[in-house]
Amino acid sequence: MATHAGDSIPVNVEKTNRGPKIADRILPFFIFLICSLLLFEPPFFAFNSTSKRFQIVTFLGLPLLFSMMAMLARWNRRFMEYLPAFCSFVIVSIGLLLMWLLDDFPRRWLGLDPNGPSGRAIIKVSDAVLLLLAVVVLGKLLQIDFNSIYLRKGSRPGLGIAIGLAGFALMAAFAVVEAHGMGITNRRILGWLPWILSFVLANGFFEELMYRGLFLRKFEPLLGARLANLLIAFVFAVGHAGVTYSEDVLAFVAITLVFALIWGYLMQKTGSLWGSALFHAGADTLIMIGIFAGVKT
């Protein structure tokens, strides 16, 4: 039976029921770990770099590198089962390239301050739109099943949305209480509210799709569900080690790892990214209030 780039590679019955053996997971684990760190870490620094050469090498080099890896996997039977994951690496790397080239255009066209609440929100919404555009267009070209990247209602849509909304409400309430403790008034928060909501909802969808939606099901056939979730959560947490909006970065990274594991588990159990995206958005609320207020949380 023919398989597409986004389909799971057929495996024997024992592996399908019990997951891959421990010894069989070692090589793919390290391949996916190295590729994931390479995909997310250099762009983090490149977006904040003043070196055009570094940015060009990063944002043009990564799509080229992952495209070559995907072609190798397609041509080499030994690495054929890596192909779905490599296709996701290609999609995200091209999405990051589009963000580097285009995400500031709407903000500049509107004449907004890039460091102000409205400017930050517009840039983040642009990022989410550009990533979704890359996913839709390249997903069609690579014949990827959108169900395989959690862009669907899922098997338990009601449960996912309920947990997502509850998580959002709980984290938003916590953010307001903490903001009061930092001397930030309700009046200031209400003034920022449209931009806070725009930013966190866009970022929740953006990061859940980019980190977990595109990779969880691609890693699972070779790593198993739990190890795939752990690997992605680790990469996600490491990707936040360079933040400047937290007073205690180590504690922030540890908390981020815990939340990442929860969001990945929720996505796997509900078959959809929407619950995780809402929960994630709520967790970003305190961060954005702190950033808009110019204080570390």
Short mmCIF file of all heavy atoms in Angstrom, two decimals, residues 1-11 74 80-81 83-84 142-143:
data_model
loop_
_atom_site.label_atom_id
_atom_site.label_comp_id
_atom_site.label_asym_id
_atom_site.label_seq_id
_atom_site.Cartn_x
_atom_site.Cartn_y
_atom_site.Cartn_z
N MET A 1 0.85 -1.19 0.00
CA MET A 1 0.00 0.00 0.00
C MET A 1 0.88 1.24 0.00
O MET A 1 1.82 1.34 0.78
CB MET A 1 -0.89 0.01 1.25
CG MET A 1 -1.80 1.23 1.34
SD MET A 1 -2.87 1.18 2.80
CE MET A 1 -1.66 1.34 4.09
N ALA A 2 0.58 2.21 -0.83
CA ALA A 2 1.38 3.44 -0.91
C ALA A 2 1.15 4.28 0.33
O ALA A 2 0.07 4.28 0.92
CB ALA A 2 1.00 4.23 -2.16
N THR A 3 2.18 5.02 0.73
CA THR A 3 2.06 5.93 1.86
C THR A 3 2.46 7.32 1.42
O THR A 3 3.28 7.50 0.54
CB THR A 3 2.99 5.50 3.02
OG1 THR A 3 4.34 5.49 2.55
CG2 THR A 3 2.62 4.12 3.52
N HIS A 4 1.84 8.34 2.05
CA HIS A 4 2.18 9.72 1.78
C HIS A 4 3.15 10.21 2.83
O HIS A 4 3.37 9.56 3.85
CB HIS A 4 0.91 10.59 1.79
CG HIS A 4 -0.07 10.19 0.73
ND1 HIS A 4 0.30 9.97 -0.58
CD2 HIS A 4 -1.41 9.95 0.81
CE1 HIS A 4 -0.79 9.63 -1.28
NE2 HIS A 4 -1.81 9.61 -0.46
N ALA A 5 3.67 11.42 2.62
CA ALA A 5 4.66 11.97 3.54
C ALA A 5 4.12 12.12 4.94
O ALA A 5 4.86 12.00 5.90
CB ALA A 5 5.15 13.33 3.03
N GLY A 6 2.85 12.37 5.09
CA GLY A 6 2.30 12.58 6.42
C GLY A 6 1.73 11.33 7.05
O GLY A 6 1.26 11.35 8.18
N ASP A 7 1.74 10.21 6.33
CA ASP A 7 1.19 8.97 6.87
C ASP A 7 2.18 8.29 7.76
O ASP A 7 3.39 8.42 7.61
CB ASP A 7 0.81 8.01 5.73
CG ASP A 7 -0.28 8.60 4.85
OD1 ASP A 7 -1.05 9.43 5.36
OD2 ASP A 7 -0.33 8.24 3.67
N SER A 8 1.68 7.51 8.69
CA SER A 8 2.56 6.70 9.51
C SER A 8 3.09 5.55 8.68
O SER A 8 2.36 4.94 7.90
CB SER A 8 1.81 6.15 10.73
OG SER A 8 1.38 7.21 11.55
N ILE A 9 4.35 5.22 8.84
CA ILE A 9 4.95 4.10 8.13
C ILE A 9 4.46 2.80 8.75
O ILE A 9 4.47 2.65 9.96
CB ILE A 9 6.49 4.17 8.20
CG1 ILE A 9 6.96 5.52 7.64
CG2 ILE A 9 7.13 3.03 7.47
CD1 ILE A 9 6.60 5.76 6.21
N PRO A 10 4.00 1.84 7.96
CA PRO A 10 3.51 0.59 8.53
C PRO A 10 4.58 -0.10 9.35
O PRO A 10 5.75 -0.13 8.98
CB PRO A 10 3.15 -0.24 7.28
CG PRO A 10 2.93 0.76 6.20
CD PRO A 10 3.86 1.88 6.50
N VAL A 11 4.19 -0.65 10.49
CA VAL A 11 5.10 -1.41 11.34
C VAL A 11 4.44 -2.72 11.67
O VAL A 11 3.26 -2.94 11.43
CB VAL A 11 5.42 -0.62 12.64
CG1 VAL A 11 6.21 0.63 12.33
CG2 VAL A 11 4.15 -0.25 13.38
N ARG A 74 13.44 9.72 1.67
CA ARG A 74 12.55 9.19 0.62
C ARG A 74 13.29 8.19 -0.27
O ARG A 74 12.71 7.22 -0.75
CB ARG A 74 12.00 10.34 -0.23
CG ARG A 74 11.01 9.90 -1.30
CD ARG A 74 10.47 11.08 -2.06
NE ARG A 74 9.60 11.90 -1.26
CZ ARG A 74 8.30 11.65 -1.05
NH1 ARG A 74 7.75 10.56 -1.58
NH2 ARG A 74 7.58 12.45 -0.32
N MET A 80 13.32 5.58 5.57
CA MET A 80 11.99 5.92 5.07
C MET A 80 11.03 6.28 6.20
O MET A 80 10.21 7.19 6.08
CB MET A 80 11.43 4.76 4.25
CG MET A 80 10.00 4.98 3.76
SD MET A 80 9.84 6.37 2.61
CE MET A 80 10.57 5.65 1.14
N GLU A 81 11.13 5.58 7.34
CA GLU A 81 10.20 5.84 8.43
C GLU A 81 10.46 7.18 9.12
O GLU A 81 9.64 7.63 9.93
CB GLU A 81 10.23 4.70 9.45
CG GLU A 81 11.60 4.37 9.99
CD GLU A 81 11.59 3.07 10.79
OE1 GLU A 81 10.49 2.56 11.07
OE2 GLU A 81 12.67 2.56 11.11
N LEU A 83 10.72 9.90 7.28
CA LEU A 83 10.25 10.88 6.32
C LEU A 83 9.14 11.78 6.86
O LEU A 83 9.21 13.01 6.67
CB LEU A 83 9.79 10.18 5.04
CG LEU A 83 9.25 11.10 3.93
CD1 LEU A 83 10.30 12.12 3.51
CD2 LEU A 83 8.81 10.27 2.73
N PRO A 84 8.09 11.26 7.52
CA PRO A 84 7.06 12.17 8.02
C PRO A 84 7.60 13.24 8.95
O PRO A 84 7.20 14.41 8.86
CB PRO A 84 6.10 11.22 8.75
CG PRO A 84 6.28 9.90 8.07
CD PRO A 84 7.74 9.83 7.74
N LEU A 142 2.99 18.11 0.08
CA LEU A 142 3.62 16.90 0.61
C LEU A 142 2.60 15.81 0.94
O LEU A 142 2.98 14.76 1.45
CB LEU A 142 4.43 17.25 1.87
CG LEU A 142 5.61 18.20 1.65
CD1 LEU A 142 6.22 18.62 2.99
CD2 LEU A 142 6.67 17.55 0.78
N GLN A 143 1.33 16.09 0.66
CA GLN A 143 0.24 15.13 0.88
C GLN A 143 0.16 14.70 2.34
O GLN A 143 0.03 13.51 2.66
CB GLN A 143 0.42 13.91 -0.03
CG GLN A 143 0.34 14.25 -1.52
CD GLN A 143 0.49 13.03 -2.40
OE1 GLN A 143 1.54 12.37 -2.37
NE2 GLN A 143 -0.52 12.71 -3.18
#
